[in-house]
Amino acid sequence: MHHRLAAKLVTACALSLAFLWSAPAMAQGTEPVCNKCHEENNDSIKSTGHGAGNDANGKACQSCHGDATEHVASRGKKPVVGDKQAKGNTGAQKSEACMSCHAGNRQLGFWEAGKHAQNDVSCSSCHNIHGKVKNPIAQPYSTTSRTIEADTCGTCHKQVRNATMKPSHHPILEGKVKCSDCHNPHGALTQAMVKHESVNQQCFSCHADKRGPFMFGHPPVEENCLSCHTPHGSSHGKLLNEKVPNLCQDCHVQGRHPTAFYGQNQAWIGANGQPVTTPSTRFISRSCLNCHNSIHGSNAPTNRGRYLIR
Ligand code: HEC
Ligand code: HEC
Ligand code: HEC
Ligand code: HEC
Ligand code: HEC
Ligand code: HEC
Ligand code: HEC
Ligand code: HEC
Ligand code: HEC
Ligand code: HEC
């Protein structure tokens, strides 16, 4: 009995001693030496995946910046040898450090071939490693420097940003569709680094109803949605490249019924120079779409379907 109690006491003492001894060592382990002078840089990463593996020597800091031994020994007087993230470095030099850990990520497979890497854009052009994080627990690391991804892209892609502000647009600025829903910012072998193998596949990923198959298809739809639509934004309704009927008239100059203005009495102004009371149905309201309302393809029987009428 006494023996056992004594043994328990000894173990308990040993354990608490061990705890007391190890506690400061653990604290030291999580606070890298760099923290003494670079508190902000440490705070911004310490609760993220990047700070997690840090040690007393600032191992994680050095994995992105380079060898800081002399820098620390000289108390910051000597620079970090070849700081990989230094301002004057090329994009490739900066990104190399990141790729030493992230190269295995499936999404980064075509980084080198992508337009960004080839145009001196670096990982840190989009990713804000030391970004100010207000609530590091709720938001451990910001993937991009701002909440709406498109704002980051828009700093460089001003024309695309402008397009997204036109009356008809994908709800990108509204935060419902992201640039990266359609593009892989890390590079892809497709036209314009689109994520899917073709533009149409990209569109079908959300607009599955346009995939068909239709009993009566409309060839340009099957070929390329962008024959009629623009992806980012348009001044014409429904992201159309042009307004109807002009859009249709690019390809349809004549048919069983002419597709262009017939004569003056079927336009807005009659032969007498006065507005006509019954202008052609081919121009008013939804124009061609008044009748050809199944523009992406129709399953209606016989001639109605054939002529893309519901
Ligand atoms: C005793 C203070 C001190 C410590 C400890 C320290 N630094 Fe510094 N560090 C400085 C000072 C001062 C500068 C600014 C030097 C300058 O502006 O030229 C600096 C600059 C830097 C820079 C920017 C260099 C550049 O090219 O702009 C990096 C990166 C850096 N330190 C990383 C580290 C890392 C990583 C550690 C830990 C391994 C560390 N520092 C530890 C004082 C320190
Ligand atoms: C995941 C990579 C990464 C890690 C880890 C990292 N940094 Fe940085 N650091 C960067 C990048 C990239 C920059 C360039 C500025 C930017 O884009 O945020 C930078 C900039 C700096 C600068 C230059 C001054 C400034 O704030 O712009 C200092 C100093 C610095 N880091 C210190 C540290 C210290 C200290 C640690 C560890 C506690 C650390 N960094 C960890 C990537 C990293
Ligand atoms: C020492 C290895 C290492 C280096 C170097 C490194 N990272 Fe990381 N990174 C990690 C780890 C570990 C995580 C957290 C685990 C994860 O989510 O993959 C992470 C997470 C990330 C994330 C968040 C991933 C997500 O799921 O949201 C981004 C973005 C990122 N790193 C970018 C960078 C950039 C940019 C650089 C270079 C400036 C860099 N990393 C350098 C190891 C590294
Ligand atoms: C043009 C902007 C841009 C550049 C450049 C960029 N990224 Fe990203 N990255 C993003 C965006 C946007 C996301 C989020 C994608 C999403 O939400 O699906 C992301 C996501 C990530 C992720 C998380 C991927 C996952 O598995 O979920 C990692 C890791 C990452 N980036 C690392 C890097 C590294 C490393 C580099 C440089 C080699 C880099 N990024 C360059 C914009 C960029
Ligand atoms: C709905 C899908 C989709 C979204 C969302 C999207 N894009 Fe695109 N983007 C495309 C397609 C498809 C093309 C290819 C156009 C072509 O082949 O002519 C393209 C082309 C581009 C191009 C090449 C130049 C150009 O204007 O044609 C850039 C740059 C671009 N997008 C950037 C962005 C940015 C930045 C965002 C977010 C603000 C974004 N895209 C959102 C589908 C999209
Ligand atoms: C630091 C500036 C910068 C940022 C930020 C940036 N890009 Fe780019 N992007 C470029 C440059 C430079 C090119 C190559 C030249 C060009 O085609 O405009 C490019 C090319 C592209 C292309 C290919 C265009 C083509 O014609 O093939 C797409 C798509 C693209 N970026 C999308 C994005 C998306 C999505 C984001 C945000 C996640 C983003 N970019 C953020 C600078 C940037
Ligand atoms: C990530 C999902 C997604 C992808 C991919 C996508 N869209 Fe959309 N699209 C949407 C959403 C969401 C809306 C808005 C729907 C709404 O407001 O009811 C929309 C709306 C539209 C509209 C109607 C716009 C308007 O002003 O009413 C058209 C046209 C359109 N998309 C065409 C395309 C084309 C063409 C592609 C391929 C380049 C494409 N979409 C790819 C999600 C997507
Ligand atoms: C021949 C021209 C043309 C082509 C090609 C085309 N569209 Fe359309 N699209 C239109 C017209 C015209 C409208 C407006 C219809 C209306 O207002 O009734 C429209 C409307 C839309 C709309 C919004 C209204 C709706 O029906 O949901 C979406 C989404 C859309 N198209 C997606 C696509 C996709 C995806 C593709 C490629 C598979 C595509 N379009 C190819 C002409 C075309
Ligand atoms: C990019 C070219 C292009 C555009 C733009 C286009 N079409 Fe077509 N359309 C075609 C082709 C090609 C056919 C197949 C013709 C054939 O089979 O003889 C077709 C077929 C049709 C048919 C069925 C005709 C038949 O004989 O089977 C109708 C109706 C039609 N289009 C209406 C429209 C309308 C309305 C618009 C505008 C909203 C439009 N098209 C825009 C290329 C286009
Ligand atoms: C009032 C209804 C109506 C309007 C408006 C209309 N169409 Fe038609 N369209 C038809 C009908 C019905 C047919 C079937 C052929 C027939 O019976 O003459 C047809 C046939 C067609 C064909 C196939 C012709 C052929 O010779 O094979 C094309 C192409 C076409 N229309 C394009 C257009 C375009 C472009 C517009 C707009 C400028 C338009 N349509 C406006 C009702 C209309």
Side-chain angles (χ1 to χ4, degrees):
M1 265 297 214
H2 286 285
H3 262 97
R4 272 218 198 146
L5 189 63
K8 268 191 182 168
L9 273 170
V10 170
T11 342
C13 282
L15 275 174
S16 51
L17 261 178
F19 178 72
L20 282 174
W21 277 79
S22 66
M26 269 167 67
Q28 236 176 37
T30 49
E31 292 300 349
V33 58
C34 328
N35 189 41
K36 283 184 199 151
C37 309
H38 300 291
E39 206 177 334
E40 273 190 24
N41 295 82
N42 185 41
D43 282 353
S44 56
I45 63 151
K46 71 177 173 192
S47 54
T48 74
H50 287 138
N54 222 352
D55 66 4
N57 296 324
K59 185 178 87 180
C61 316
Q62 299 195 43
S63 69
C64 281
H65 286 287
D67 189 351
T69 324
E70 280 192 37
H71 177 68
V72 174
S74 68
R75 298 180 172 278
K77 287 196 184 76
K78 288 189 187 168
V80 177
V81 181
D83 179 8
K84 294 171 192 164
Q85 307 304 335
K87 283 203 174 69
N89 286 0
T90 63
Q93 284 170 323
K94 292 179 187 168
S95 305
E96 200 189 340
C98 317
M99 284 307 244
S100 68
C101 291
H102 289 290
N105 189 313
R106 197 169 53 87
Q107 300 207 33
L108 286 153
F110 296 108
W111 170 251
E112 302 292 344
K115 285 274 166 67
H116 284 138
Q118 287 177 1
N119 286 278
D120 205 39
V121 177
S122 72
C123 314
S124 52
S125 304
C126 295
H127 293 288
N128 196 358
I129 301 293
H130 292 300
K132 298 230 170 11
V133 183
K134 278 196 193 119
N135 181 350
I137 293 156
Q139 196 188 354
Y141 29 72
S142 44
T143 307
T144 54
S145 42
R146 301 188 189 107
T147 12
I148 298 257
E149 183 196 287
D151 283 352
T152 302
C153 313
T155 56
C156 295
H157 296 289
K158 296 225 160 63
Q159 284 183 329
V160 177
R161 184 180 156 75
N162 291 352
T164 61
M165 292 193 274
K166 290 183 176 177
S168 172
H169 57 266
H170 268 114
I172 296 170
L173 297 180
E174 290 83 349
K176 290 182 189 153
V177 171
K178 292 185 293 179
C179 310
S180 65
D181 284 336
C182 293
H183 297 287
N184 187 343
H186 302 123
L189 299 177
T190 50
Q191 165 90 12
M193 307 200 300
V194 161
K195 275 176 148 179
H196 285 73
E197 56 272 29
S198 70
V199 167
N200 276 31
Q201 291 302 327
Q202 186 63 54
C203 309
F204 294 152
S205 71
C206 293
H207 300 289
D209 60 314
K210 301 291 184 286
R211 186 199 297 267
F214 297 106
M215 209 135 56
F216 300 98
H218 193 190
V221 177
E222 288 150 28
E223 201 180 291
N224 193 341
C225 309
L226 302 182
S227 308
C228 299
H229 294 288
T230 175
H232 306 125
S234 171
S235 319
H236 310 294
K238 308 290 180 197
L239 286 166
L240 291 172
N241 292 329
E242 276 178 280
K243 72 191 277 286
V244 181
N246 302 31
L247 177 73
C248 317
Q249 286 163 353
D250 280 350
C251 300
H252 297 287
V253 280
Q254 60 187 49
R256 217 171 290 180
H257 68 73
T259 55
F261 292 80
Y262 301 153
Q264 279 186 309
N265 59 344
Q266 275 161 312
W268 294 105
I269 305 293
N272 56 1
Q274 295 300 309
V276 289
T277 44
T278 52
S280 168
T281 48
R282 295 186 176 88
F283 307 120
I284 59 163
S285 180
R286 291 159 45 72
S287 182
C288 320
L289 301 170
N290 284 328
C291 303
H292 301 288
N293 46 13
S294 297
I295 200 65
H296 301 103
S298 175
N299 289 324
T302 60
N303 266 2
R304 274 197 292 139
R306 181 169 164 215
Y307 295 116
L308 306 175
I309 293 167
R310 206 167 274 141

